[in-house]
Amino acid sequence: MRALQRLRHELLAFVHNTQHYAMAEVLEVHWSELQEAVHKAKDVDSLCKAHAHFLASVGDEGLHLEETSFTEPVHKITQIAIEFADLQQRLYDALLERDAERRAERERAQRNTKAGRWATLGNDGGELRAISAEFEAHIEELRLGFYTQFDRFFNTVSRHPSQQLSFLAARLDFNGFHAARHDNDGGADGTHAGWTGGLGDESPVM
């Protein structure tokens, strides 16, 4: 199913890019600062202060945990990814079950043929189309949900004054795919929803 494969790649791209941002642009940078501060610390109070500064820098300046415009779309996309993984597993299980039934039908047909009885195989095309249609409708719902939350998130990071987030915005739409998506269909909900079309004039200059 092309729609399933496409959504899987889009979710993986989002997860990989945000994970890279969290690890390389936030944790690694501030961890180096913490190590330097620990080496320079002369007492326990200095260590506590350095650690508190590290937590605040990671949570507020790096991951922006206090900004719902940043955290809420990420949370909802995470839920969509979990739901997608469950849907993908259920589809796989359904296809395996139908394949096992098909194999059993072939074995019965072979036994009937050897015994001189009629041997027929049912046409499972209709069943497979029904399974496909059910899952495709759910995948389309997840895709629209992902695009809605992605657009919210991208508009936040691309317009944010943080230079770190400007790097994340560049990674999220490095090939202009999502900007082209909005040019083609006007966005996930039929509108541009404030889409910047990439790193526009309101975004930090890289």
Side-chain angles (χ1 to χ4, degrees):
M1 297 172 65
R2 182 177 298 178
L4 184 144
Q5 295 175 348
R6 176 178 174 178
L7 181 56
R8 180 173 65 241
H9 288 308
E10 290 172 347
L11 286 168
L12 283 173
F14 179 84
V15 170
H16 287 165
N17 282 317
T18 51
Q19 184 180 50
H20 177 273
Y21 166 76
M23 296 299 296
E25 301 291 341
V26 179
L27 291 177
E28 186 175 337
V29 172
H30 293 296
W31 179 256
S32 298
E33 294 175 354
L34 174 62
Q35 287 182 313
E36 183 178 352
V38 167
H39 288 308
K40 293 181 178 180
K42 298 180 180 179
D43 50 40
V44 175
D45 289 338
S46 299
L47 287 174
C48 292
K49 184 178 180 180
H51 185 250
H53 177 72
F54 168 76
L55 294 178
S57 298
V58 168
D60 299 335
E61 300 173 18
L63 301 180
H64 303 274
L65 298 180
E66 299 299 322
E67 299 181 36
T68 56
S69 61
F70 188 92
T71 58
E72 188 174 289
V74 173
H75 174 72
K76 290 185 176 181
I77 289 175
T78 301
Q79 294 301 115
I80 290 172
I82 293 172
E83 190 173 350
F84 172 82
D86 179 68
L87 178 67
Q88 184 175 243
Q89 184 62 51
R90 287 193 286 116
L91 173 60
Y92 181 68
D93 292 341
L95 293 177
L96 282 182
E97 182 180 353
R98 185 64 193 100
D99 182 65
E101 292 173 355
R102 190 67 172 165
R103 289 174 183 272
E105 289 176 4
R106 291 196 186 99
E107 292 175 359
R108 285 195 299 271
Q110 290 174 356
R111 289 196 298 269
N112 288 338
T113 299
K114 291 179 180 179
R117 297 189 296 267
W118 286 101
T120 60
L121 288 174
N123 182 5
D124 62 351
E127 291 185 28
L128 292 180
R129 282 193 295 272
I131 292 174
S132 177
E134 176 188 352
F135 282 94
E136 283 180 355
H138 198 169
I139 290 170
E140 178 64 11
E141 180 183 343
L142 292 178
R143 183 185 72 86
L144 292 176
F146 168 69
Y147 283 167
T148 297
Q149 298 307 321
F150 178 91
D151 293 349
R152 288 182 59 199
F153 183 75
F154 186 85
N155 284 336
T156 295
V157 299
S158 63
R159 297 175 178 183
H160 202 281
S162 168
Q163 186 177 26
Q164 290 175 315
L165 289 182
S166 70
F167 294 138
L168 175 59
R171 290 180 64 89
L172 287 172
D173 199 30
F174 73 97
N175 60 356
F177 169 80
H178 291 285
R181 171 170 61 81
H182 279 264
D183 290 339
N184 292 333
D185 62 20
D189 59 356
T191 65
H192 284 268
W195 178 256
T196 61
L199 294 177
D201 295 337
E202 298 180 40
S203 305
V205 178
M206 294 178 59

